[in-house]
Amino acid sequence: MDIDNEIAKTQEERRRKEEELASLTSLTFDRDLYGGTDRDAYVTSIPVNDEDDANLDSMDSEVARKLASYTAPKSLLKEMPRGEDDDNALGFRKPAKIIDREDEYRRRRLNQVISPDRHDAFASGEKTPDPSVRTYADVMREQALAREKEETLRAIAKKKKEEEEAAKVEKESGGAAAAVPKRRNRWDQSQDDGSAAAKKAKTTSDWDLPDATPGIGRWDATPTPGRVSDATPSVGRRNRWDETPTPGRLADSDATPAGGVTPGATPAGVTWDATPKGLVTPTPKRQRSRWDETPATMGSATPTAGATPAVPLTPGVTPFGGTDLQTPTPSNLRGPMTPEQYNLLRWEKDIEERNRPLTDEELDAMFPQEGYKILEPPASYVPIRTPARKLLATPTPMGTPLYAIPEENRGQQFDVPKEAPGGLPFMKPEDYQYFGSLLNEENEEELTPEEQKERKIMKLLLKVKNGTPPQRKTALRQLTDKAREFGANALFNRILPLLMQPTLEDQERHLLVKVIDRVLYKLDELVRPYVHKILVVIEPLLIDEDYYARVEGREIISNLSKAAGLATMIAAMRPDIDNIDEYVRNTTARAFSVVASALGIPALLPFLKAVCQSKKSWQARHTGIKIVQQIAILIGCAVLPHLKSLVEIIEHGLNDENQKVRTITALSLAALAEAAAPYGIESFDSVLKPLWKGIRSHRGKVLAAFLKAIGFIIPLMDAIYASYYTKEVMFILIREFQSPDEEMKKIVLKVVKQCVSTEGVEAEYIRNDILPEFFRNFWVRRMALDRRNYRQLVETTVEMANKVGVADIVGRIVEDLKDESEPYRRMVMETIEKVVANLGASDIDARLEELLIDGILYAFQEQTSDDANVMLNGFGAVVNSLGQRVKPYLPQICGTIKWRLNNKSAKVRQQAADLISRIAVVMKQCQEEQLMGHLGVVLYEYLGEEYPEVLGSILGALKAIVNVIGMTKMTPPIKDLLPRLTPILKNRHEKVQENCIDLVGRIADRGAEFVPAREWMRICFELLEMLKAHKKGIRRATVNTFGYIAKAIGPQDVLATLLNNLKVQERQNRVCTTVAIAIVAETCSPFTVLPALMNEYRVPELNVQNGVLKSLSFLFEYIGEMGKDYIYAVTPLLEDALMDRDLVHRQTAASAVKHMALGVAGLGCEDALVHLMNYVWPNIFETSPHVINAVMEAIEGMRVALGAAIVLNYCLQGLFHPARKVREVYWKIYNSLYIGSQDALVAAYPILEDEQSSEQNNIYSRPELMMFV
Amino acid sequence: MQASDRFNINSQLEHLQAKYVGTGHADLNRFEWAVNIQRDSYASYIGHYPMLAYFAVAENESIGRERYNFMQKMLLPCGLPPEREDD
């Protein structure tokens, strides 16, 4: 390998230089650094990705593991303490870079080139396009050339390979002498071929294109970071920082003469051209270790330890330059940094530090004081802006970076990022590449208008990308408003490269995409020349794993196609349809489907038809058909109107000579059928024959795709046809049952499910023809191990059971409940559960019943894994569907339960208790009350359980038993049970609380008399604590329990407890207390509660008074009409509250008035209500949202209770008030009045005087209302 | 409107109200309000058949004629709008 040689050479060179240096100075710093030992003993390089690496980690080391006396699961052993995990847990996660979560396929987006602008045929009209502009023809030509090149190269490779093989064969055959001339012959030939092809390839390369496109070669106007030297798709991410400067690359940059740069080319492009890093820095080595340069690294690092990321003085040089990166701890390296990137960076940083300009002080110190003069710089002097050129100007003095003495800090700011001028947001190191020029504080006036515009755009973009939300908002608005002024060219030249930035984060991408969206809207038809550019950066969003990114991508492309029009879109994307890169074709197909959904399918049909019938390349046909598939997936049932034409377009693909085309055609048909279901079978008529013929002739992937299509088409058919076609396909399916291919298995299962569930397929056929083979091939242990297979198999079997009935299916698998593999047993159990739950157990005969219970008991007892709710659910489902037939087995089941309740494992105990609550109802049906009583006692004994999960289940089981056998028959008797529950109420575990309060509430409701009142009071105190619970269900149950207890022992004591609780601080507690008071009042009649409650209002304490008011509010809400008896009693209290200074008093009183008014509407309490209304009305000018809301609602309540006319009369006084503030409020009330009862107002509107004079003649009166018969 | 209640239910309430024809606002003048009142009244007369019958008897017209008249009157119930003084 030449790279390895290169490494060796560089290392050799370095060692020589170091030796030289060492001999020059008396003291070798190596010794200082490393101690006395010989340096050669050190390993100078550690291979980066070698198998030695594996042993670095002692946790992973085979030897270490073998020596260890005990072991644990690998996952635990591998779990190493990691610092950043804590941060993640705390929610301080660093924003994720998109690239970090992308797989290799998705990273191929970075290989794409933002293509140069294209000719806009619409804008130029009839004119012949300027030769300098890239037209559609140019692009197509380029594509064709690229294809040809690719094919030639492939042909060469193939030929070479064949040759080699042939040679090998010949060698083996042994005829050496005879073969020599022959071989030579062929060699010559092949050499000829090779050189000819190479020559051809050369002539077809891009930069040798005819002069039709001078200066606009593919390479210069495009400031992409991820440029690839040729069209061969390279693997992995590439950007300008991590790539070893290959000769090809250098040729690239040289290829564009500086003079040839068009004025339109952006500075970034210039930078690009001028960045032959490779010329200055010694070629970085791919395999170089990051360890071998430790001394050098330390030398170049900033002396301050733990410094914040340093930003080099010259902007734009080292985008990643941070001191933390200099320390060679692997954990500090950022994810995407490859060693070579790292090395390159370090080189650059070193050189940068060495070559920074000397300051005046330094020069003063160097030169003698006299004899020198400081000259003015010449007027024509312009400082070099592109940092790379600076690098080029001064070569490195020596190959090795040396140890720099810390004192030599020459006044540089290493750590503080240079302040961005003009209130610009902070720039991240990688932003310097794009925004670096903003840091040059030049005089704005000296710039050309063009440059000023660019600067402005850059500033705005930076604000959008990194700014605070307000900055971002204004910048976004400015960009939108001035979009046409800036022009499409300037905007997209800035935005699009940013989107290709490899370090982009999700949020940044979102913002930039948003910019594009807004700008698109404004630019409209001006975007035409840039359509392809935009697509290159937006298309990858369509296959992003993030749903929102996909939606965003769709939106942009849809807007783009609306702005640019169909013709432009097709012209832009047509060349990509048969691109050699599969990635490009895939994304293009998806983009096309979005275009179709945006502009309508009919518009795209002719084009699609042409593409799908392309004779030139199978890729074009493949992409065309894929577009149809994507359309179906994207727009779903909206394909129906065009279904026929879409099917016609792709149907010939089923017989295509290319296998990939056949596959995609079948998949597209499947997608179309799925989208169209349950309609549209007539559109598929033409493909039925080829599909069904195809399954006989194809194998492997194609067959799978065909089967999938059939699976989706059969459910659309009428019953007779479905039956016929199912039979046709079934023998193939049965043959494929045995296929070892996982993908095929899944498809076959799915197709079987689809066929079986279709109406026309009879049970008899399934039973005889499918079931035996199906069970033989699929019901095997291996299927239970893969999650997806498992689920698919269960679903398919359940579907079959729906057709053939319970007995057939259950009979076949019931024996497997005793299988030795637990996952398999679980799969059997889940299937049985679903089948029995769907269809009941009436089909199951006595023998099967016995087997079933036996098997279930076995499976239930043998389960060991944790996620075994399957067993529990299955048991419950079977027992419940068997009903009374379980009676003979109940003693055995209960025996098992009792045994397991005593088990050591908490999980087992919990399951046993849960099982009781599942089967309690059935036990009652079987009249096994004695048995249940027995279980009750057993459970009672286990109430001391310490695991809260188990305790919760035990309480649940007790509750289930109490529910079915009733309070009187319950053993242990309620009077013993309840005191045992009181302490459990203190438990803070949610599950325990919930089950316990349910049980206590049940007892309070049905069997309160079995328990002394003192015990209930004790429980009341405990219940107050439960009002603090987080779960709403618990609080609700608690509040209801208060009601039951109050009913049982009378409201007085409970009420006293509750009223006292109003004094507590916690709001939630008080609110729940008020609700409880209201419920007590409701259950025990309000008159038992109101006196004490109103008395409590006299306590001069805000919380208590508000609590009372709130209780009143809830109370009147609950008692509704009953309120008419109490309204006069509480009116004085409400009067007082509505006049209180405290806002909350008035608010709560207003809501009480509302409930009261709504409750007593039409019951003759108008006098009291009008009185209260007079107190409510002055509050209409409140501004606090809650208060004003309550007041408005009270007025609405009054509208209902008193009628709209009365409220209107209150309203009229302010509708035309001179003060606007007053009018606004009154009109608001008027409007809600109007919306609420418009018709009722007609009778109540005031009498308006007509205005009749010389200039106006307006009649405002309503004479009709004066009519009298 | 205050900053605090820009997002609360009240602002939505007003927005909701504004969607209905016939609701008013602080800058409504006498004429506009009267037009709304008149139209509402006619709509109400037409909608309540007994009312219509009553008017028919009082005016000695057929019910259908009454209904037609009322509908016609809804067009410009108060005549032409007065000239705006402040414009």
Side-chain angles (χ1 to χ4, degrees), chain A residues 1185 1188-1189 1216 1220 1223 1227-1228 1230-1232 1234 1238-1239 1249 1251 1256 1258-1262 1264 1267 1269, chain B residues 8-10 17 23-28 30-31 33-34 38 40-42 44 48 55 59 78 80 82:
Chain A
I1188 191 66
N1189 238 11
F1216 293 95
R1220 183 184 187 82
R1223 288 204 305 271
W1227 275 107
K1228 195 161 84 185
Y1230 172 84
N1231 284 343
S1232 56
Y1234 181 89
Q1238 181 216 22
D1239 197 45
E1249 299 291 326
E1251 285 197 23
Q1256 64 180 31
N1258 290 332
I1259 301 168
Y1260 295 143
S1261 64
R1262 295 181 293 167
E1264 292 85 359
M1267 286 179 195
V1269 182
Chain B
N8 65 30
I9 186 76
N10 291 318
Q17 290 171 347
T23 53
H25 51 84
D27 294 321
L28 203 76
R30 182 185 159 87
F31 175 81
W33 191 44
Q38 293 279 359
D40 286 343
S41 305
Y42 288 126
S44 176
H48 297 275
F55 291 137
E59 295 203 324
C78 306
L80 292 169

Side-chain angles (χ1 to χ4, degrees), chain A residues 328 330 334 373 376 532 645 665 684 819 874 890 933 1040 1086 1126 1131 1215:
Chain A
R334 292 185 198 162
K373 187 184 163 200
E376 287 292 316
H532 191 257
S645 27
T665 311
F684 291 100
D819 194 274
L890 276 180
N1040 287 331
Y1126 304 102
T1131 300
L1215 286 181

